[in-house]
């Protein structure tokens, strides 16, 4: 189980809703955490499964593991 930097991050990463089976289809799902890569991404709601890797938590500003350094 991954440790997330703060409660906001945790709830956003773990957030899912009943209306959308895929988190990428849900406009309420903002952040995707990839356990394989240990990195966080902003979900791009373009109908696919794109993300933009983020280096800092938007809520608590903790530096995130992003696999780039
Ligand atoms: Zn945080
Ligand atoms: Zn939804």
């Amino acid at each position: 189980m991954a440790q997330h930097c703060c409660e906001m991050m945790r709830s956003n990463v773990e957030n899912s809703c009943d209306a959308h089976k895929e988190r990428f289809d849900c406009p309420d799902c903002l952040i995707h955490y990839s356990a394989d890569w240990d990195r966080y991404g902003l979900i791009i709601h373009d109908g696919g499964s794109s993300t933009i890797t983020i280096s800092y938590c938007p809520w608590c500003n903790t530096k995130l593991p992003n696999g780039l350094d």
Side-chain angles (χ1 to χ4, degrees), residues 5-6 9 57 60:
C5 53
C6 62
M9 181 63 99
C57 175
C60 72

Side-chain angles (χ1 to χ4, degrees), residues 12 15-17 22-24 26-31 43 45:
N12 274 275
N15 179 42
S16 61
C17 86
E22 298 294 335
R23 298 187 73 243
F24 284 93
C26 181
D28 294 329
C29 293
L30 303 177
I31 308 283
I43 295 175
H45 291 288

Side-chain angles (χ1 to χ4, degrees), residues 4-10 56-62 64:
H4 301 296
C5 53
C6 62
E7 190 59 24
M8 281 299 290
M9 181 63 99
R10 191 189 65 75
Y56 292 90
C57 175
W59 294 283
C60 72
N61 213 35
T62 294
L64 302 169

Side-chain angles (χ1 to χ4, degrees), residues 5-58:
C5 53
C6 62
E7 190 59 24
M8 281 299 290
M9 181 63 99
R10 191 189 65 75
S11 62
N12 274 275
V13 164
E14 294 177 356
N15 179 42
S16 61
C17 86
D18 295 336
H20 304 94
K21 256 201 287 188
E22 298 294 335
R23 298 187 73 243
F24 284 93
D25 292 338
C26 181
D28 294 329
C29 293
L30 303 177
I31 308 283
H32 174 72
Y33 172 68
S34 169
D36 289 347
W37 295 91
D38 194 23
R39 67 176 67 162
Y40 295 81
L42 275 180
I43 295 175
I44 317 295
H45 291 288
D46 62 355
S49 57
S50 315
T51 59
I52 296 176
T53 300
I54 53 174
S55 302
Y56 292 90
C57 175

